[in-house]
Amino acid sequence: MPSLLEIDSVIKSYDDRPVLTDIYLKCETGDIIGMFGRNGSGKSTLLKILFGILAAERKFIRIDGKVFDCPYKTKNELCFLPQHDFLPKYMKAAKAVELYLGKDAVETFFADNILKKLNNNKVSELSGGELRYLEIKLLLKTESKFILLDEPFNGVSPLLVEYIRGLIVESSKTKGIILTDHDYKNVLDVANRYCLIYDGGIKTVTSKEGLIRWGYVPG
């Protein structure tokens, strides 16, 4: 049976300005949901509310029928990649992997073309793209059922984008993934379901034509 993540009845305002109004979204393991929306539409806000690190006037979060207020406080339910780096700069890359995945996972984790020579480097010594790739792979390799990715392709070279897309697709065999990125073409290519945050609500779209119809991309 697939696991099911649902967020319902979300209302969020900033300085009395409504940002999200009565949002509902569901994600099953096996899904890769691409979330679109213009700057300020509330994409990152929704992901933070769903993870449990941002308060809302109203929200209702369920995972497999169980209600959660802050899912991040429960082990192996939900992970979140923020737009900014989250690993400590002073930490060695291998140590970070050990803390997240266990000592036995370190060797296998670094056995790929991007990371194979970086296990002894400190986080501060990695390039922006290398660090983004490491953080994404790290979260996708956890046992969490659901992964939220905020701007995973931002500032990443085309080669690394291809590797990241491969990681996302592979991980979706056992996880549900929700991602948002302004690189809409790569989101369209990697996701199997799409939605658009528009005027505080959420619209289901099935293709690029739907994004054109709602004015998100030019025709």
Side-chain angles (χ1 to χ4, degrees):
M1 288 287 293
S3 289
L4 176 63
L5 168 66
E6 296 174 283
I7 184 166
D8 195 4
S9 306
V10 180
I11 295 178
K12 177 64 177 177
S13 302
Y14 289 110
D15 298 325
D16 296 324
R17 180 180 68 87
V19 177
L20 301 173
T21 56
D22 206 23
I23 292 285
Y24 174 77
L25 179 66
K26 71 175 182 177
C27 177
E28 293 185 351
T29 48
D31 279 337
I32 306 173
I33 298 178
M35 182 188 299
F36 301 96
R38 297 190 181 280
N39 283 336
S41 62
K43 303 184 302 299
S44 296
T45 295
L46 180 59
L47 294 183
K48 291 174 183 177
I49 292 171
L50 181 49
F51 190 50
I53 57 174
L54 182 64
E57 286 91 280
R58 190 174 73 190
K59 66 178 181 181
F60 192 68
I61 302 168
R62 288 189 301 262
I63 300 176
D64 293 335
K66 184 178 179 181
V67 177
F68 292 84
D69 185 53
C70 297
Y72 76 90
K73 294 182 178 180
T74 304
K75 187 177 181 181
N76 296 336
E77 296 291 353
L78 198 59
C79 281
F80 173 53
L81 177 83
Q83 292 185 19
H84 58 80
D85 304 332
F86 66 85
L87 292 176
K89 300 295 184 183
Y90 63 82
M91 185 177 288
K92 283 194 173 182
K95 185 63 176 179
V97 175
E98 181 180 339
L99 289 174
Y100 271 79
L101 305 179
K103 193 171 184 179
D104 293 341
V106 173
E107 184 176 352
T108 302
F109 186 90
F110 285 96
D112 75 12
N113 291 333
I114 305 301
L115 300 174
K116 60 184 177 181
K117 296 181 180 179
L118 301 175
N119 57 317
N120 288 320
N121 287 48
K122 290 183 178 180
V123 169
S124 61
E125 296 171 333
L126 304 181
S127 70
E130 290 168 344
L131 177 55
R132 198 64 172 165
Y133 176 81
L134 184 146
E135 290 182 333
I136 292 168
K137 183 175 181 179
L138 193 58
L139 297 186
L140 291 173
K141 292 295 183 181
T142 66
E143 295 183 8
S144 293
K145 299 172 187 175
F146 297 96
I147 310 293
L148 313 176
L149 302 175
D150 196 356
E151 301 282 349
F153 306 129
N154 186 38
V156 175
S157 70
L159 175 62
L160 283 176
V161 166
E162 289 301 313
Y163 276 94
I164 291 169
R165 284 174 49 180
L167 288 174
I168 291 171
V169 171
E170 180 66 24
S171 297
S172 71
K173 294 176 181 178
T174 58
K175 302 180 186 299
I177 298 168
I178 302 174
L179 71 146
T180 181
D181 201 288
H182 291 295
D183 185 351
Y184 74 89
K185 292 181 180 178
N186 274 305
V187 175
L188 283 170
D189 286 344
V190 77
N192 59 10
R193 291 178 53 207
Y194 316 107
C195 62
L196 172 71
I197 296 183
Y198 181 87
D199 196 25
I202 197 162
K203 313 293 183 184
T204 298
V205 293
T206 58
S207 63
K208 181 181 177 181
E209 285 67 32
L211 298 177
I212 294 172
R213 185 166 60 252
W214 286 103
Y216 179 71
V217 298

